[in-house]
Amino acid sequence: MNELGLESSPYLLQHTNNPVHWKAWNSKTIELVQQANKPVLLSIGYATCHWCHVMEHESFEDEEVAKYMNEHFICIKIDREERPDIDQIYMTAANIITGRGGWPLNCFTLPNLQTFHAGTYYPKDAWLNILEQVQTQFHQNKLALEDYAQKLTRGIEMQETLITDETESDLDPKQLDKAVLKWLGQWDLEEGGIKGAPKFPLGVHYDFLLEYYRFHPEESVMHFCELSLNKMACSGLYDQLEGGFARYAVDDKWKVPHFEKMLYDNALLMKVYAKLLTYKPSPMYREILNDTYTWLEHKLKAQNGLYYSAMDADSEGIEGKYYTWTLDELQAIPELDFNAVQQYFDLGNRTLWEEDRHILHRNPDIKNRTKEQSEIIQTLLAQRNTRVKPITDIKCLSSWNGLLITAFTTCYKASLEPKWKKAAIELSDSCIHHFLRDSTVYHSVTERKTNDSSLLEDYAFLGQGLFDVFQISGDSKYLELAQSLCETALNRFYHHEKGVFYSSDDKNLITQFAELYDSVTPSTNASMALLLYQLGVSLIKTDFIEISRKLVSRMTEHIQNHPASSAYWGKTHLCFSENTPEIVVVGAEARTNAEHLMNKFPEFIVMFSDENSDVLPFKGRFITDETRFYICYHGSCDAPLRNLDEVIDRLESL
């Protein structure tokens, strides 16, 4: 029977009416798998995945296909967002086998869950064919499959040798210069982003490059960041009516998006637009931040104060139907001046897609919307809201909500607008209430239940968010919680002998997996390195600083040779190689002065207390009716300064 009706994942619940006898990943299923003499199908996807929907309709809803699957396989459905640790292992296997990956990910395994074949989407006939081949090979050639599966598992395990086999290197700024110089050859200097198609927005790239620019003000770096973010902002990738970015563009000019909108992409992109705003105060960047925030509030915010995971690409079974327009539809709206619509959205061949439908872009010459143009957008949005909306994946993930906390804090530093601080604090408190239990961070929450998985990414991303909120709020409870999460992550996921963090401590996995490379989200090991550094220098914890240094120093060769997949490592490298300061502000006027410094130097750690405090950065430093500034390096502080302008001059000279 199909057992998915007992689950909380929206993706698994989408498959409850399939005639396939789907099971969920749990101890009961693992025990059944190990006792049965059948191959196992692990089918991995997520709720807003277009090709997952297609394959479900073509194959998993088909009685003929389901009958064959039920007779010859044990079939397990997995939500990759709920269990990214499982997805990482089998996606690595798929890349080793085929040289590529994607979703849906369909892996065939032995009863010990070691895989021997993997693929992505299959049409019905091809799927039936592969099922028959796998079933035949399993019973007629099992020894050969076992040998291959063992070798493949060793190949997965060898991924961690990138860091565990490397010797430590001194951290030199020239290493990052070399990395950026090599990376430049991959940059698309006409359309922005990385050359070729599909184009992913990859906020993690610009996050590092904008920090690198602070210490290495190469105009080529700023030009690439500004070009890329401007192109994305004016393209079909961005929802020009409501805000929010799609997951990627299928072409090399950002014209046609794959219309699903993910929380993690929008969190990472809000962060980099806010950082760019510090250098280039464009009204368009403020519009993007404000519009995306409004979209998040209206479409992804749950009643419990957390944010949902994603919105689908499809509505009424058609990809992009909700978002696109024919010219006739636009001309039929009586309140609109069609010529003004045509000018603002740059309608023409650039926006024409398929079946005479247009994907709205923004005229790149319009840097600041007029009142009339804002009214056009609101009229079109009201019209679009009458359409059938794409579904929303209503699970809330602690890791992705952690990324959004950091985005809100970055927006606050860039603008000092109170709404961003309020949003960051409220979201932090919601995460603490719903995800934390006795220093355990649970990965996923829905209205039905809290999933009991707990992963490294939850501690890394939420821990970073809490540390960031501590900086803008001055409330030490967030610092203490960030430290607690970091210590728990070290106890649960860090292998002291190998010097690496594993993504999960689930004993049912075929191997432990260390995520070392950035993907669409930052590497979890790189994220832990940054969090350890920041907490270490803030709390004078030399053990944290040393673990961080060792992690980064063994990644220097990879940073230099493969910068596109190691950008987040570069952020911590900068902290060490540039000896970046921490600024501690204590006194009656600490908050106002600290906010000024955060706004001017968003890359630096700025901590403040406007009252007497026993928390380590401030202990023994408060003097009534006086504000003091301490510029510190790895916890060692210079003599205090008493004048804000003097502090700014000192920091600008670094």
Side-chain angles (χ1 to χ4, degrees):
M1 61 176 289
N2 186 315
E3 298 178 359
L4 299 184
L6 302 174
E7 298 304 308
S8 60
S9 157
Y11 176 63
L12 301 188
L13 292 173
Q14 286 174 0
H15 293 265
T16 53
N17 294 321
N18 294 171
V20 178
H21 294 170
W22 292 116
K23 300 182 183 301
W25 179 285
N26 52 45
S27 297
K28 176 186 171 185
T29 299
I30 303 305
E31 185 177 348
L32 173 66
V33 163
Q34 292 170 346
Q35 293 174 354
N37 185 32
K38 282 186 175 183
V40 179
L41 166 65
L42 300 179
S43 184
I44 305 173
Y46 57 102
T48 58
C49 165
H50 171 73
W51 289 105
C52 300
H53 301 331
V54 174
M55 191 163 179
E56 179 191 15
H57 177 67
E58 292 177 348
S59 296
F60 302 149
E61 293 176 353
D62 185 276
E63 294 287 348
E64 175 193 6
V65 175
K67 181 179 179 182
Y68 193 90
M69 291 171 65
N70 295 336
E71 182 177 349
H72 297 288
F73 296 85
I74 294 177
C75 302
I76 303 175
K77 257 292 170 198
I78 298 170
D79 182 337
R80 69 166 295 262
E81 295 168 355
E82 193 172 67
R83 292 302 304 266
D85 53 332
I86 300 173
D87 180 64
Q88 286 168 349
I89 290 171
Y90 292 101
M91 186 60 73
T92 302
N95 278 294
I96 292 172
I97 294 169
T98 68
R100 62 185 183 89
W103 299 278
L105 175 62
N106 291 292
C107 291
F108 295 96
T109 84
L110 300 166
N112 64 6
L113 296 174
Q114 291 183 345
T115 190
F116 56 85
H117 184 81
T120 53
Y121 163 76
Y122 295 89
K124 175 184 172 181
D125 290 344
W127 181 240
L128 277 170
N129 184 50
I130 198 72
L131 291 172
E132 291 169 0
Q133 289 182 39
V134 168
Q135 193 270 339
T136 299
Q137 289 295 314
F138 180 82
H139 292 288
Q140 295 183 5
N141 204 14
K142 192 173 183 181
L143 288 176
L145 292 184
E146 289 174 345
D147 180 63
Y148 179 74
Q150 288 176 3
K151 291 177 180 176
L152 185 58
T153 301
R154 285 198 294 272
I156 298 169
E157 293 169 344
M158 286 178 64
Q159 304 298 306
E160 73 181 42
T161 61
L162 171 69
I163 189 168
T164 58
D165 286 0
E166 285 293 322
T167 56
E168 296 174 25
S169 301
D170 291 336
L171 298 174
D172 187 326
K174 292 179 181 177
Q175 294 163 344
L176 295 181
D177 293 338
K178 179 182 175 182
V180 170
L181 184 63
K182 181 165 187 174
W183 196 1
L184 194 148
Q186 299 176 330
W187 297 351
D188 185 337
L189 297 178
E190 292 186 8
E191 299 296 334
I194 301 301
K195 292 176 181 176
K199 272 191 185 297
F200 287 82
L202 298 174
V204 66
H205 286 180
Y206 312 104
D207 188 5
F208 162 68
L209 288 170
L210 288 168
E211 290 193 13
Y212 173 84
Y213 180 79
R214 166 72 69 179
F215 301 98
H216 306 255
E218 297 287 341
E219 282 309 311
S220 60
V221 171
M222 179 54 71
H223 172 73
F224 174 65
C225 291
E226 195 174 4
L227 170 72
S228 300
L229 294 172
N230 285 346
K231 288 284 188 178
M232 285 188 257
C234 295
S235 74
L237 188 79
Y238 183 68
D239 184 346
Q240 301 295 341
L241 298 185
E242 193 170 26
F245 290 86
R247 193 162 77 90
Y248 64 90
V250 302
D251 60 288
D252 64 356
K253 291 181 172 56
W254 308 106
K255 175 182 176 178
V256 180
H258 186 43
F259 292 88
E260 61 188 317
K261 295 159 81 172
M262 315 299 294
L263 180 62
Y264 63 79
D265 276 324
N266 284 281
L268 292 168
L269 288 168
M270 287 178 75
K271 181 181 179 183
V272 295
Y273 277 98
K275 291 175 83 163
L276 185 58
L277 189 63
T278 304
Y279 294 101
K280 307 285 183 179
S282 166
M284 183 171 70
Y285 303 153
R286 293 185 185 275
E287 291 167 4
I288 287 166
L289 293 173
N290 289 325
D291 290 351
T292 300
Y293 175 72
T294 301
W295 165 70
L296 287 167
E297 293 294 293
H298 290 171
K299 295 295 171 66
L300 287 193
K301 192 169 187 179
Q303 289 186 343
N304 60 14
L306 302 172
Y307 289 80
Y308 296 137
S309 297
M311 283 184 66
D312 206 333
D314 300 5
S315 57
E316 300 181 83
I318 300 172
E319 183 180 7
K321 183 175 182 179
Y322 178 73
Y323 297 100
T324 56
W325 303 79
T326 65
L327 296 183
D328 287 344
E329 287 174 330
L330 294 170
Q331 289 173 318
I333 301 172
E335 306 97 306
L336 294 181
D337 176 351
F338 180 71
N339 288 331
V341 171
Q342 195 168 28
Q343 180 193 24
Y344 182 81
F345 294 112
D346 209 18
L347 298 176
N349 289 334
R350 179 169 176 254
T351 61
L352 183 61
W353 185 32
E354 54 189 32
E355 297 181 1
D356 294 326
R357 302 194 71 80
H358 287 257
I359 301 166
L360 300 183
H361 289 221
R362 175 176 178 154
N363 187 325
D365 294 330
I366 298 174
K367 303 301 183 185
N368 193 3
R369 285 196 302 243
T370 64
K371 180 182 177 182
E372 178 193 30
Q373 289 162 346
S374 295
E375 289 172 351
I376 288 171
I377 288 170
Q378 291 307 310
T379 300
L380 284 174
L381 184 58
Q383 184 74 17
R384 194 176 77 176
N385 282 335
T386 65
R387 298 175 176 178
V388 176
K389 296 176 177 61
I391 65 164
T392 300
D393 183 338
I394 59 169
K395 68 175 177 295
C396 303
L397 302 177
S398 54
S399 54
W400 295 3
N401 276 265
L403 293 174
L404 188 59
I405 294 170
T406 293
F408 288 160
T409 63
T410 309
C411 290
Y412 180 68
K413 289 179 181 180
S415 67
L416 298 182
E417 293 178 27
K419 77 170 185 181
W420 296 113
K421 183 197 287 187
K422 181 174 183 287
I425 292 172
E426 288 180 350
L427 179 53
S428 297
D429 291 342
S430 294
C431 286
I432 292 166
H433 180 73
H434 292 285
F435 290 123
L436 266 66
R437 300 286 185 278
D438 300 324
S439 295
T440 295
V441 183
Y442 290 100
H443 180 63
S444 175
V445 168
T446 66
E447 294 173 357
R448 295 178 62 146
K449 68 175 184 179
T450 299
N451 187 283
D452 61 3
S453 63
S454 182
L455 307 169
L456 176 64
E457 67 177 57
D458 305 319
Y459 293 84
F461 298 163
L462 183 55
Q464 184 67 61
L466 294 174
F467 180 74
D468 294 336
V469 166
F470 157 66
Q471 291 183 74
I472 66 166
S473 69
D475 190 335
S476 60
K477 79 173 183 182
Y478 300 114
L479 175 64
E480 292 163 3
L481 276 170
Q483 179 185 356
S484 175
L485 297 192
C486 200
E487 289 172 343
T488 303
L490 283 166
N491 290 332
R492 286 189 60 176
F493 304 109
Y494 187 64
H495 194 295
H496 286 267
E497 187 176 322
K498 293 184 176 180
V500 69
F501 285 92
Y502 289 117
S503 298
S504 169
D505 56 3
D506 184 346
K507 305 304 181 187
N508 290 318
L509 300 177
I510 59 171
T511 186
Q512 291 182 304
F513 186 86
E515 184 188 41
L516 301 174
Y517 314 112
D518 297 330
S519 57
V520 291
T521 54
S523 153
T524 46
N525 270 267
S527 300
M528 283 304 304
L530 182 61
L531 181 59
L532 282 162
Y533 172 84
Q534 293 182 334
L535 287 171
V537 298
S538 302
L539 297 167
I540 327 295
K541 290 188 68 65
T542 56
D543 54 336
F544 281 17
I545 297 171
E546 184 58 17
I547 292 171
S548 174
R549 187 194 64 77
K550 285 183 176 180
L551 280 164
V552 180
S553 67
R554 287 187 293 169
M555 285 294 292
T556 53
E557 283 298 316
H558 188 79
I559 292 170
Q560 293 173 85
N561 294 320
H562 305 282
S565 61
S566 52
Y568 213 78
W569 287 105
K571 286 165 64 72
T572 311
H573 191 301
L574 279 169
C575 295
F576 284 104
S577 60
E578 296 293 345
N579 199 26
T580 58
E582 315 91 58
I583 301 98
V584 180
V585 189
V586 183
E589 302 297 325
R591 183 183 299 271
T592 302
N593 286 286
E595 288 178 341
H596 188 90
L597 292 172
M598 290 175 200
N599 179 254
K600 193 166 185 63
F601 305 101
E603 297 87 357
F604 298 160
I605 296 170
V606 180
M607 301 172 282
F608 73 89
S609 178
D610 50 15
E611 60 185 14
N612 197 15
S613 172
D614 287 332
V615 176
L616 194 54
F618 316 115
K619 189 173 183 179
R621 289 174 167 169
F622 185 84
I623 298 176
T624 305
D625 298 327
E626 185 176 331
T627 298
R628 292 186 170 192
F629 304 84
Y630 295 84
I631 299 176
C632 311
Y633 300 89
H634 297 186
S636 177
C637 301
D638 296 340
L641 302 173
R642 292 171 175 79
N643 181 278
L644 178 63
D645 291 335
E646 188 179 355
V647 176
I648 292 171
D649 289 343
R650 183 82 61 88
L651 294 175
E652 286 182 334
S653 69
L654 295 177

